[in-house]
Amino acid sequence: MKRCATCALALAGLLGTPLIPASTEPVPVAGAEPAFATPTTLDRIGRIVVPVTINDLGPFRMLVDTGANRTTITTDVARRLGLDYATAPTVVLNGVTGSASVPVVRVGRMRAGDLVLDDQQVPVVEPHLIGGADGILGIAGLRDQRLIVDFKRDLVTISRSRHARGDELRIRAVRVVGGLLGAHVRIGRVRALAVIDTGAEKTLGNRALQEALRADAHAQTTVYGTTEATMIGDVAAAPDIRMDGTAFRHVIVTFGDFHIFDVWDLVDEPALIIGMDVLGAMDTFMIDFRLAEIHVRS
């Protein structure tokens, strides 16, 4: 069986804290507006990794995750920060494959470029659950910002939302549970809802989508998430995935009864998580949370 690692998560029981600019001084990205811009690299399984300082220590290697509405750190990072997670209160962490009760600790400040998160309550997980990274920078809770990932220049930018002018294809988006943004797509003749998830290595589909497509599996794979639970998924080729005026071709989808679809209330209708196997093929993609738009350039 092949290993399929994903890092999408949703956290129950905590309110999201918005990302805010550290200052109003001009920065050399996205015009003269406050923004977070930092070099990015793809990790060994293709996810977006950026440097983040925590309580003035680091930088730590954090995964940028549009499928997570909370930021998470590992036990190694908590120990380096001197945080006592062993006696900390717990919260329920919902991952792709299951849920778990994990400790939650207070972090005074997290800084990513010119953007800071102050007074955060962050869950703590074992390092192997995040595939070797130091944590997850969850940004699904953004409201008035936009995320731009430029793979050609290896740059991630979070800035104020504004109407874009360029040659990117604009895709209308919809709000899903927990602040996530999704898009209505057509897969062959089947209509479905797609969640854009930069924390997912592979594209995942629910059983309703598999049944609607009549997709016969040609293999099975083990799917891992941010909890110890694992699941077996059916691997199958999907018809072209069309979003407004663009099409993603030759996409391989892993189908299953994944826990995260229950959390997002996306069990009964055809739905999928579009991961980095598809997003990483773009030159640039942007998610504008205020305007509820997705822009792509290939």
mmCIF file of all heavy atoms in Angstrom, residues 190 205-216 255 257 267-268 270:
data_model
loop_
_atom_site.group_PDB
_atom_site.id
_atom_site.type_symbol
_atom_site.label_atom_id
_atom_site.label_comp_id
_atom_site.label_asym_id
_atom_site.label_seq_id
_atom_site.Cartn_x
_atom_site.Cartn_y
_atom_site.Cartn_z
ATOM 1 N N VAL A 190 -20.742 15.051 -13.112
ATOM 2 C CA VAL A 190 -21.171 15.136 -11.720
ATOM 3 C C VAL A 190 -20.803 16.498 -11.142
ATOM 4 O O VAL A 190 -19.665 16.956 -11.268
ATOM 5 C CB VAL A 190 -20.518 14.026 -10.877
ATOM 6 C CG1 VAL A 190 -20.865 14.181 -9.404
ATOM 7 C CG2 VAL A 190 -20.939 12.656 -11.395
ATOM 8 N N GLY A 205 -11.694 12.259 -2.087
ATOM 9 C CA GLY A 205 -13.118 12.376 -2.382
ATOM 10 C C GLY A 205 -13.946 11.578 -1.394
ATOM 11 O O GLY A 205 -13.466 10.592 -0.825
ATOM 12 N N ASN A 206 -15.203 12.007 -1.199
ATOM 13 C CA ASN A 206 -16.075 11.234 -0.313
ATOM 14 C C ASN A 206 -16.759 10.110 -1.084
ATOM 15 O O ASN A 206 -16.654 10.004 -2.311
ATOM 16 C CB ASN A 206 -17.081 12.139 0.410
ATOM 17 C CG ASN A 206 -18.062 12.820 -0.534
ATOM 18 O OD1 ASN A 206 -18.079 12.568 -1.735
ATOM 19 N ND2 ASN A 206 -18.890 13.697 0.023
ATOM 20 N N ARG A 207 -17.463 9.253 -0.352
ATOM 21 C CA ARG A 207 -18.108 8.100 -0.995
ATOM 22 C C ARG A 207 -19.236 8.539 -1.923
ATOM 23 O O ARG A 207 -19.487 7.887 -2.946
ATOM 24 C CB ARG A 207 -18.648 7.157 0.075
ATOM 25 C CG ARG A 207 -17.579 6.438 0.865
ATOM 26 C CD ARG A 207 -16.752 5.499 -0.005
ATOM 27 N NE ARG A 207 -15.864 4.674 0.825
ATOM 28 C CZ ARG A 207 -14.862 3.959 0.344
ATOM 29 N NH1 ARG A 207 -14.605 3.973 -0.960
ATOM 30 N NH2 ARG A 207 -14.107 3.240 1.154
ATOM 31 N N ALA A 208 -19.920 9.641 -1.564
ATOM 32 C CA ALA A 208 -20.997 10.118 -2.435
ATOM 33 C C ALA A 208 -20.455 10.480 -3.813
ATOM 34 O O ALA A 208 -21.095 10.216 -4.844
ATOM 35 C CB ALA A 208 -21.686 11.321 -1.803
ATOM 36 N N LEU A 209 -19.261 11.055 -3.855
ATOM 37 C CA LEU A 209 -18.651 11.380 -5.148
ATOM 38 C C LEU A 209 -18.238 10.116 -5.889
ATOM 39 O O LEU A 209 -18.452 9.997 -7.103
ATOM 40 C CB LEU A 209 -17.437 12.279 -4.936
ATOM 41 C CG LEU A 209 -16.661 12.668 -6.199
ATOM 42 C CD1 LEU A 209 -17.543 13.421 -7.182
ATOM 43 C CD2 LEU A 209 -15.423 13.504 -5.845
ATOM 44 N N GLN A 210 -17.658 9.162 -5.165
ATOM 45 C CA GLN A 210 -17.248 7.913 -5.809
ATOM 46 C C GLN A 210 -18.442 7.198 -6.430
ATOM 47 O O GLN A 210 -18.371 6.694 -7.558
ATOM 48 C CB GLN A 210 -16.550 7.004 -4.800
ATOM 49 C CG GLN A 210 -16.020 5.717 -5.425
ATOM 50 C CD GLN A 210 -15.298 4.838 -4.419
ATOM 51 O OE1 GLN A 210 -15.421 5.031 -3.209
ATOM 52 N NE2 GLN A 210 -14.541 3.862 -4.923
ATOM 53 N N GLU A 211 -19.560 7.163 -5.699
ATOM 54 C CA GLU A 211 -20.754 6.506 -6.226
ATOM 55 C C GLU A 211 -21.322 7.248 -7.420
ATOM 56 O O GLU A 211 -21.746 6.629 -8.404
ATOM 57 C CB GLU A 211 -21.793 6.399 -5.112
ATOM 58 C CG GLU A 211 -21.391 5.444 -3.994
ATOM 59 C CD GLU A 211 -22.350 5.498 -2.819
ATOM 60 O OE1 GLU A 211 -23.376 6.218 -2.924
ATOM 61 O OE2 GLU A 211 -22.085 4.834 -1.798
ATOM 62 N N ALA A 212 -21.321 8.587 -7.359
ATOM 63 C CA ALA A 212 -21.854 9.368 -8.476
ATOM 64 C C ALA A 212 -21.006 9.194 -9.722
ATOM 65 O O ALA A 212 -21.526 9.169 -10.847
ATOM 66 C CB ALA A 212 -21.941 10.845 -8.091
ATOM 67 N N LEU A 213 -19.703 9.063 -9.549
ATOM 68 C CA LEU A 213 -18.794 8.887 -10.692
ATOM 69 C C LEU A 213 -18.720 7.430 -11.141
ATOM 70 O O LEU A 213 -18.183 7.152 -12.225
ATOM 71 C CB LEU A 213 -17.381 9.357 -10.320
ATOM 72 C CG LEU A 213 -17.178 10.845 -10.078
ATOM 73 C CD1 LEU A 213 -15.758 11.114 -9.592
ATOM 74 C CD2 LEU A 213 -17.449 11.648 -11.349
ATOM 75 N N ARG A 214 -19.219 6.525 -10.282
ATOM 76 C CA ARG A 214 -19.061 5.090 -10.527
ATOM 77 C C ARG A 214 -17.585 4.759 -10.740
ATOM 78 O O ARG A 214 -17.201 4.032 -11.662
ATOM 79 C CB ARG A 214 -19.896 4.652 -11.732
ATOM 80 C CG ARG A 214 -21.397 4.868 -11.535
ATOM 81 C CD ARG A 214 -22.190 4.423 -12.739
ATOM 82 N NE ARG A 214 -23.629 4.669 -12.539
ATOM 83 C CZ ARG A 214 -24.563 4.418 -13.449
ATOM 84 N NH1 ARG A 214 -24.207 3.903 -14.628
ATOM 85 N NH2 ARG A 214 -25.828 4.669 -13.194
ATOM 86 N N ALA A 215 -16.771 5.329 -9.847
ATOM 87 C CA ALA A 215 -15.315 5.209 -9.976
ATOM 88 C C ALA A 215 -14.845 3.893 -9.368
ATOM 89 O O ALA A 215 -14.943 3.687 -8.152
ATOM 90 C CB ALA A 215 -14.635 6.389 -9.291
ATOM 91 N N ASP A 216 -14.354 3.010 -10.206
ATOM 92 C CA ASP A 216 -13.819 1.734 -9.738
ATOM 93 C C ASP A 216 -12.358 1.911 -9.335
ATOM 94 O O ASP A 216 -11.548 2.450 -10.097
ATOM 95 C CB ASP A 216 -13.919 0.681 -10.847
ATOM 96 C CG ASP A 216 -15.370 0.345 -11.176
ATOM 97 O OD1 ASP A 216 -16.207 0.386 -10.255
ATOM 98 O OD2 ASP A 216 -15.660 0.068 -12.365
ATOM 99 N N PHE A 255 -10.670 7.891 -2.587
ATOM 100 C CA PHE A 255 -12.030 7.962 -2.059
ATOM 101 C C PHE A 255 -12.137 7.198 -0.739
ATOM 102 O O PHE A 255 -11.503 6.155 -0.569
ATOM 103 C CB PHE A 255 -13.029 7.357 -3.056
ATOM 104 C CG PHE A 255 -13.116 8.096 -4.360
ATOM 105 C CD1 PHE A 255 -12.400 7.664 -5.472
ATOM 106 C CD2 PHE A 255 -13.924 9.219 -4.487
ATOM 107 C CE1 PHE A 255 -12.489 8.326 -6.678
ATOM 108 C CE2 PHE A 255 -14.018 9.895 -5.693
ATOM 109 C CZ PHE A 255 -13.298 9.458 -6.798
ATOM 110 N N ASP A 257 -14.535 7.078 3.413
ATOM 111 C CA ASP A 257 -15.449 7.659 4.406
ATOM 112 C C ASP A 257 -14.632 8.483 5.399
ATOM 113 O O ASP A 257 -14.602 8.194 6.604
ATOM 114 C CB ASP A 257 -16.200 6.547 5.141
ATOM 115 C CG ASP A 257 -17.129 5.773 4.215
ATOM 116 O OD1 ASP A 257 -17.903 6.417 3.495
ATOM 117 O OD2 ASP A 257 -17.057 4.527 4.222
ATOM 118 N N VAL A 267 -21.083 14.854 3.749
ATOM 119 C CA VAL A 267 -21.150 13.410 3.546
ATOM 120 C C VAL A 267 -22.140 13.039 2.457
ATOM 121 O O VAL A 267 -21.860 12.175 1.607
ATOM 122 C CB VAL A 267 -21.524 12.693 4.863
ATOM 123 C CG1 VAL A 267 -21.743 11.208 4.626
ATOM 124 C CG2 VAL A 267 -20.441 12.908 5.904
ATOM 125 N N ASP A 268 -23.290 13.681 2.444
ATOM 126 C CA ASP A 268 -24.374 13.263 1.564
ATOM 127 C C ASP A 268 -24.244 13.775 0.132
ATOM 128 O O ASP A 268 -24.785 13.165 -0.793
ATOM 129 C CB ASP A 268 -25.719 13.710 2.145
ATOM 130 C CG ASP A 268 -26.008 13.059 3.494
ATOM 131 O OD1 ASP A 268 -25.552 11.913 3.687
ATOM 132 O OD2 ASP A 268 -26.654 13.701 4.335
ATOM 133 N N PRO A 270 -21.800 14.953 -3.225
ATOM 134 C CA PRO A 270 -20.450 14.712 -3.748
ATOM 135 C C PRO A 270 -19.504 15.858 -3.381
ATOM 136 O O PRO A 270 -19.820 17.035 -3.591
ATOM 137 C CB PRO A 270 -20.666 14.641 -5.266
ATOM 138 C CG PRO A 270 -22.090 14.207 -5.415
ATOM 139 C CD PRO A 270 -22.821 14.876 -4.291
#
